[in-house]
Amino acid sequence: IVEPIDSKYKYSSSKAMVYMIYYLLDYIFGYLFILKYKAQNKIILFDRYYYDYMIQSTFENSPKLLKWIYKTMAPKPDLLIFLKAKPEMIYARKPELNIEEITKQQEKIQQVMIENFLYKKFIEVDSVSGIDQAYKHVENEIFKLKVNK
């Protein structure tokens, strides 16, 4: 049984700050290892990145200055892929958040990523039509990115 995460729970600003500083250092120092693979023109995939702190309700009390530091200091991916689906479908796949929180996070993702242009390239992939279609779309975008480098 999966217990849903309470979307009303928010970390205190000090707890959020400790988490964010720890992970910022992790992203910056971890990037030193990634540079070796980027130099070899290899593809590196992550399923999450620091932008999670911009959209998750638990981090709403994070100091704005720290979010700005993340935005300016954390290494940026070459391509950000947002796998989008209907909130009800996401909930059916993984009932970790309630539908209201899923909707809220999707709206925040679009606001933070699209309006602020935090990344070199951002694509939204409709995952409603199934994994095979989503995979092909992502594969094509990665191929285009590699060809254009």
Side-chain angles (χ1 to χ4, degrees):
I1 296 176
V2 176
E3 289 293 321
I5 295 171
D6 185 359
S7 61
K8 293 176 178 47
Y9 178 76
K10 294 176 181 41
Y11 291 148
S12 67
S13 57
S14 58
K15 186 174 185 176
M17 190 165 58
V18 168
Y19 273 103
M20 290 180 74
I21 289 171
Y22 169 79
Y23 283 111
L24 177 61
L25 293 173
D26 184 47
Y27 292 133
I28 290 170
F29 292 119
Y31 195 71
L32 298 174
F33 294 102
I34 292 171
L35 286 174
K36 175 178 106 176
Y37 297 106
K38 284 185 71 117
Q40 297 169 358
N41 205 26
K42 294 193 177 186
I43 296 171
I44 301 126
L45 299 173
F46 291 88
D47 68 338
R48 298 230 176 244
Y49 207 54
Y50 80 86
Y51 59 82
D52 285 351
Y53 299 118
M54 309 292 181
I55 63 168
Q56 292 178 358
S57 296
T58 51
F59 289 94
E60 281 182 5
N61 292 329
S62 302
K64 289 183 182 180
L65 176 63
L66 193 55
K67 288 181 180 181
W68 179 83
I69 290 170
Y70 254 84
K71 193 165 99 171
T72 55
M73 290 187 66
K76 309 289 185 288
D78 295 322
L79 174 65
L80 183 71
I81 301 165
F82 172 41
L83 298 173
K84 187 169 183 183
K86 294 176 182 167
E88 298 80 12
M89 182 179 275
I90 294 170
Y91 182 79
R93 291 177 185 164
K94 189 174 181 183
E96 191 176 76
L97 301 171
N98 61 43
I99 292 172
E100 180 184 329
E101 181 63 19
I102 294 167
T103 303
K104 184 179 173 184
Q105 286 190 10
Q106 286 187 334
E107 289 168 358
K108 281 185 178 180
I109 287 170
Q110 290 173 318
Q111 177 189 2
V112 170
M113 303 306 159
I114 296 170
E115 291 176 9
N116 294 312
F117 300 104
L118 295 179
Y119 297 94
K120 297 174 187 173
K121 185 163 184 191
F122 173 81
I123 62 164
E124 188 175 296
V125 176
D126 180 8
S127 63
V128 172
S129 55
I131 193 167
D132 291 334
Q133 288 293 92
Y135 177 86
K136 285 177 187 173
H137 188 168
V138 169
E139 183 180 49
N140 287 337
E141 291 296 330
I142 291 171
F143 180 74
K144 283 193 271 183
L145 182 71
K146 295 305 277 180
V147 167
N148 293 328
K149 272 198 163 188

